[in-house]
Amino acid sequence: MSSQVLIERSAPRRPTKIWPLALVPLSGFIAWAVNTGGEGWRWLFLGGMAWSMALALLSSLEAGLVAMMLFEPLRGFLRRIQYLFLPYSQTDPIHLVTPLITLLALAMVLQKRGLRMFTQTSLAKLVSVLGLIYFLQIFNPLQGGLAVGLSGALFILVPVAWFYFGQTITPDFMRLALRLMVVLGIITSLWGLYHLAYGFPGFEQYWLDHTDAYESIQVGKIKRALATYSSAEEWGRYIELGAIIAFGFAAGAINRVRRTGWFLCGGALAVMLMLTGQRTAIFGLILGVIVLLTLGAQTWRAALGRLLLALAPVLLIGMLVNAPSSDDMQSLDEEQRFGAVLSHSTRGALSPTQEGSLQERFTTWSYLATEVIPHNPLGMGLGATSLSVQRSDKGAALPPVDSYFISTAVTCSLAAALLFIGILARAGFMSWRAFQRADRGSPEGQVWRVVAALMPVLILNSIFGNTFTLYSVAPVGWLVVGWISAQQLRNMEARSSVQN
């Protein structure tokens, strides 16, 4: 006679015990928010967003990065929608959400990898030196106070942490992150199309009526569309990179259906880019596409042929098509938003040297290069060119710089600016070599082709723009550079294992 004992395993009870503990304070917090009004709802909303991203981060670093990448393109819209129940304020705690999660993620990576992550590769050493310079410049007294330096750190220093995240992620996650940018670029741009078709809804118009230090939003008689971003520049830079990524995956796709799909995505983002009115982003897209074409060549002669073939239509358009005049653009009113923005983009793309904004930019850079930088060779502080200075002491504020390279020279010294460009240039060269060695038909080879095309664009956008201070773009830029550094580390480890 035999007997069988059936052991039934019960589900773990720990979550059952934890949920009441979490619901009790949450219920109390909601009750407090209801009684407090708008300000309470703001903190409830921001606390919920931060808690959601923290939970994703506790699941895995990759999940936390995805959560932040989903949040950043929506940050501007989420900030503006608060004005449905809140009065306008120049400061907003929403800007603290992702920096807090980023610092938490950095602490997790530091605990796992130790201090060696700062010096694992030659590129990591250079970035760590730059990060140290950024950190020391927080305390520079020339910028007007510690609060100004901390404000600059939120937009300049904190995104550098994504470099170290890039050193830990896998090629599969890098491919996922790049594809996510394409999808988010298309989805978020739909709100930009709404701005152009119907104008700004009430809560966003309220923000426009009260915000300061955003004179560039005006194009003739209309205001630029923002989509879900904090500025038109951020929208333009984000979908510029998204279009290059889409065209890169289309170039590397073997399946005809996938190639067509990626090409359509790239084309859609390119059309939307024209509607942002961001001329530098348009030139960046042209540069990225040219690099993608030349990367596919097997020899230098073939690369030169592709380059000439790509430049031919650009030169023909420039010679045969007349740029719209300034009067043509000024004659278009609010009912002709699409035409006004397209006219602005076309004029800047066909006749960039005749643009008043470009001449004004050169005048500002000349003043900074001859007057400000020589008199402050060690920099004026990390927040010297931020909005905090303009709002706290308008008499001491510098003119709009519109160049991350020049801004770094002003805030952290010319040596730091050259170090930054050197990092991007070295990362670009490393990505090109990695693509040449990779299997071009493999998924990793496709990623390397995209990354190699993005690096010169990031350099261009850093000289003519503030790419590495934009909420949704700067982290991705540093993530790409970190992933390139990780590949160098993997190559070093592979050579070491072969020798052993």
Side-chain angles (χ1 to χ4, degrees), residues 168-181:
T168 66
I169 62 176
T170 64
D172 288 338
F173 180 79
M174 191 68 224
R175 192 163 83 256
L176 171 65
L178 295 175
R179 291 180 172 181
L180 184 62
M181 285 193 69

Side-chain angles (χ1 to χ4, degrees), residues 268-283:
L269 289 173
V271 171
M272 292 177 184
L273 179 59
M274 293 292 296
L275 299 176
T276 65
Q278 294 295 315
R279 282 80 59 89
T280 302
I282 295 173
F283 284 110

